[in-house]
Amino acid sequence: GAGVSQSPSNKVTEKGKDVELRCDPISGHTALYWYRQSLGQGLEFLIYFQGNSAPDKSGLPSDRFSAERTGGSVSTLTIQRTQQEDSAVYLCASALYADQLEAFFGQGTRLTVV
Amino acid sequence: AQKVTQAQTEISVVEKEDVTLDCVYETRDTTYYLFWYKQPPSGELVFLIRRNSFDEQNEISGRYSWNFQKSTSSFNFTITASQVVDSAVYFCALLEYGNKLVFGAGTILRVKS
């Protein structure tokens, strides 16, 4: 596609439910990143993919968070048993190569846990 | 630890004023990259500029200019003759080893007509 696409753009979920957030990177981009933007925490790195593997998962805040990438393309970030503190905007970015010298960001998914 | 500080939480200016957004960083790496991103109300982060640690030349792109000073660990961003469309949140970021961007807290810029 022309840009990084994320879906849904907005998601409201009840506390305790699981959610899946999707990211479609720019075609041909090998690197994919997830960041979280929340009030008080700013923009935080979550996980990075090179192809389908995730060399760096250090930013995932708990074991309720997981992510996968298939076919070197689409990535899904899953949050299990959501908590109110998970409310944030989840941003995905892709880059042609892993050095992220120019990463392109999607518009994000705004997650609200009620 | 690597850190980026944007001390200005919010700046308001009147159209056509010049405005400088400050960014101070901390890193122990000798090779690193610094970035500025713009986040308009639509939410996506728009890449503005990247500098590597070996290139301290200032850069100008239209109304935008950047002043990189390693001696003070600063990478400041100036908008000349600001316009309402410049209203956004601006983030300074440092590329950390392992391909993570470390972001500052962001500066909200409001340009009033």
Side-chain angles (χ1 to χ4, degrees):
Chain A
V4 177
S5 177
Q6 292 187 246
S7 61
S9 53
N10 280 286
K11 176 73 177 178
V12 179
T13 190
E14 292 181 354
K15 180 180 172 181
K17 301 276 190 182
D18 298 352
V19 294
E20 285 189 352
L21 312 180
R22 177 186 168 107
C23 173
D24 279 278
I26 293 172
S27 178
H29 279 194
T30 64
L32 186 147
Y33 308 82
W34 284 97
Y35 287 83
R36 180 169 72 172
Q37 186 174 19
S38 53
L39 285 174
Q41 298 296 322
L43 272 155
E44 304 170 282
F45 168 84
L46 296 179
I47 187 170
Y48 145 64
F49 286 93
Q50 176 58 44
N52 292 336
S53 59
D56 191 344
K57 306 179 184 179
S58 62
L60 294 177
S62 76
D63 59 8
R64 296 186 295 104
F65 287 71
S66 63
E68 65 174 13
R69 188 179 185 195
T70 55
S73 181
V74 172
S75 176
T76 303
L77 177 68
T78 301
I79 309 172
Q80 295 178 309
R81 304 181 302 283
T82 51
Q83 303 294 313
Q84 286 186 331
E85 61 263 28
D86 300 334
S87 297
V89 176
Y90 290 82
L91 289 163
C92 175
S94 71
L96 189 58
Y97 302 112
D99 56 14
Q100 201 176 159
L101 292 187
E102 187 169 344
F104 295 84
F105 282 79
Q107 292 187 322
T109 294
R110 181 175 297 277
L111 175 66
T112 304
V113 182
V114 298
Chain B
Q2 278 146 321
K3 185 178 174 183
V4 176
T5 301
Q6 294 180 255
Q8 303 150 309
T9 306
E10 184 170 338
I11 302 175
S12 289
V13 298
V14 176
E15 214 170 11
K16 298 183 184 176
E17 285 185 12
D18 298 347
V19 58
T20 295
L21 310 181
D22 297 333
C23 173
V24 174
Y25 62 92
E26 294 175 29
T27 180
R28 283 180 285 188
D29 293 342
T30 55
T31 301
Y32 52 89
Y33 291 86
L34 294 161
F35 298 76
W36 275 95
Y37 281 88
K38 175 182 180 179
Q39 188 176 43
S42 53
E44 79 277 18
L45 284 168
V46 178
F47 168 86
L48 295 178
I49 191 172
R50 155 187 86 241
R51 301 298 287 180
N52 73 55
S53 53
F54 298 107
D55 184 0
E56 287 193 70
Q57 281 193 346
N58 292 333
E59 182 158 338
I60 298 174
S61 175
R63 296 184 297 107
Y64 295 169
S65 61
W66 291 270
N67 183 354
F68 177 30
Q69 292 195 338
K70 285 179 77 170
S71 60
T72 56
S73 297
S74 65
F75 185 43
N76 296 337
F77 172 31
T78 297
I79 302 174
T80 302
S82 59
Q83 299 176 1
V84 172
V85 293
D86 296 328
S87 297
V89 184
Y90 290 86
F91 291 95
C92 181
L94 172 68
L95 185 64
E96 184 179 275
Y97 178 78
N99 298 302
K100 290 181 276 195
L101 280 170
V102 176
F103 286 90
T107 297
I108 300 170
L109 175 63
R110 302 190 195 279
V111 182
K112 302 174 185 176
S113 58

